[in-house]
Amino acid sequence: YFYRVSRSEFVAVLQADYVLVARAKGLPTRYILIRHVLRPASSQVLTVMGLSMTYLLGGSFIVESYFAVPGIGWTVLNA
């Protein structure tokens, strides 16, 4: 799922006008990809990762409460 989200974001950002301008200026491809593409595309990926972490912690809390084993889910809930 992360791969699909990141790929779609990269494709969308690569088609942006400022990437075309950066290429027209003659900037190296590596610089364009890191500076102009990776930064804007990473925001959507980080959002999806944050949502996945909440599901992971919620699932761990359910498993820990079912098996009566203290762990990170219980610690996060008590915090």
Side-chain angles (χ1 to χ4, degrees), residues 5-52:
V5 169
S6 62
R7 184 183 184 281
S8 66
E9 282 298 312
F10 274 105
V11 168
V13 171
L14 280 171
Q15 295 173 352
D17 290 336
Y18 59 88
V19 174
L20 181 64
V21 170
R23 285 189 179 153
K25 284 182 176 181
L27 294 175
T29 304
R30 172 180 251 157
Y31 182 80
I32 294 172
L33 288 176
I34 291 173
R35 187 66 85 128
H36 297 290
V37 177
L38 187 63
R39 281 185 180 177
S42 64
S43 65
Q44 184 70 23
V45 175
L46 290 175
T47 302
V48 171
M49 289 176 104
L51 290 172
S52 297

Side-chain angles (χ1 to χ4, degrees), residues 53-63:
M53 289 301 294
T54 59
Y55 294 138
L56 181 67
L57 284 174
S60 68
F61 173 72
I62 292 171
V63 170

